[in-house]
């Protein structure tokens, strides 16, 4: 309960959309820049599809729930996940949308929102999809990396 209360106190008013000004504006800008950097690196590594470069965006011990049914632990398993798409996908474009962030500690934050994904398949087809996104992002040696990744399909109302 004490840890939960400390996290609540640290995370108040640090949404990407929300209160601006002073320290909170600075935190907002840092989180936005980090997510922009991750999005850019992800798109560069996925056009053309490069499983090794994609896995380098993640920490060595990252946890990864993609759209396949199993949990991938560590960079080598994350590379395996991306490798499972190598013969199917030509490239993918990811746009992070409506991301809300919370500081967890210095150089560590959580982000949740949506991702607009455009898959370009090797057979020429193109599929657009919006997913829910959750990340924990960590700054390691001056570089922002994903420590926890969870994407899930967005169920649309009928």
């Amino acid at each position: 309960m004490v840890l939960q209360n400390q996290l609540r106190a640290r995370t108040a008013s640090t949404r990407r959309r929300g209160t601006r000004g002073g320290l909170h504006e600075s935190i907002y800008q840092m989180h936005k820049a980090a997510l922009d950097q991750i999005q850019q690196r992800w798109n560069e590594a996925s056009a053309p599809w490069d499983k090794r470069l994609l896995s380098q965006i993640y920490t060595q011990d990252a946890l990864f729930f993609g759209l396949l049914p199993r949990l991938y632990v560590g960079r080598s398993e994350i590379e395996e996940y991306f490798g499972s798409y190598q013969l199917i996908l030509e490239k993918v474009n990811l746009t992070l949308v409506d991301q809300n962030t919370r500081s967890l500690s210095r150089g560590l934050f959580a982000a949740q929102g949506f991702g607009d994904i455009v898959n370009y398949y090797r057979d020429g087809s193109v599929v657009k999809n919006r997913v829910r996104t959750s990340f924990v992002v960590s700054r390691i040696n001056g570089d922002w990396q994903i420590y926890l990744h969870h994407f899930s399909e967005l169920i649309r109302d009928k």
Side-chain angles (χ1 to χ4, degrees):
M1 187 66 157
V2 172
L3 179 59
Q4 189 176 21
N5 289 337
Q6 288 174 339
L7 284 174
R8 281 187 190 140
R10 284 186 195 153
T11 60
S13 299
T14 59
R15 296 177 63 169
R16 282 187 72 194
R17 302 176 319 206
T19 305
R20 302 284 199 273
L23 178 61
H24 298 300
E25 176 65 19
S26 174
I27 291 170
Y28 163 81
Q29 292 301 329
M30 178 187 66
H31 293 169
K32 181 181 183 321
L35 291 172
D36 288 348
Q37 178 194 93
I38 286 170
Q39 177 180 289
Q40 179 181 354
R41 289 176 59 209
W42 207 95
N43 286 328
E44 288 171 357
S46 67
W49 193 256
D50 187 324
K51 66 181 185 174
R52 188 189 63 74
L53 284 178
L54 284 162
S55 71
Q56 296 298 310
I57 299 167
Y58 298 82
T59 65
Q60 199 69 333
D61 58 345
L63 301 173
F64 183 102
F65 256 137
L67 297 175
L68 296 178
R70 85 169 242 236
L71 173 66
Y72 294 82
V73 179
R75 191 177 284 158
S76 63
E77 288 189 14
I78 293 168
E79 184 174 333
E80 176 187 328
Y81 171 87
F82 288 124
S84 71
Y85 290 104
Q86 202 149 8
L87 298 176
I88 302 167
L89 292 171
E90 182 68 35
K91 68 178 183 173
V92 174
N93 190 328
L94 169 66
T95 303
L96 296 174
V97 180
D98 294 332
Q99 296 293 308
N100 291 275
T101 66
R102 300 291 185 268
S103 289
L104 301 175
S105 66
R106 185 180 179 107
L108 184 71
F109 70 93
Q112 283 193 318
F114 300 95
D116 288 336
I117 298 175
V118 182
N119 293 320
Y120 297 87
Y121 290 89
R122 292 194 181 272
D123 68 3
S125 62
V126 177
V127 176
K128 297 177 182 179
N129 193 19
R130 177 167 274 198
V131 297
R132 289 179 282 213
T133 64
S134 297
F135 299 109
V136 173
V137 178
S138 179
R139 189 170 203 147
I140 299 174
N141 298 323
D143 191 30
W144 291 104
Q145 295 183 330
I146 300 171
Y147 179 66
L148 181 144
H149 167 128
H150 182 220
F151 279 11
S152 61
E153 290 190 38
L154 188 61
I155 306 300
R156 305 241 184 228
D157 293 335
K158 295 191 185 231

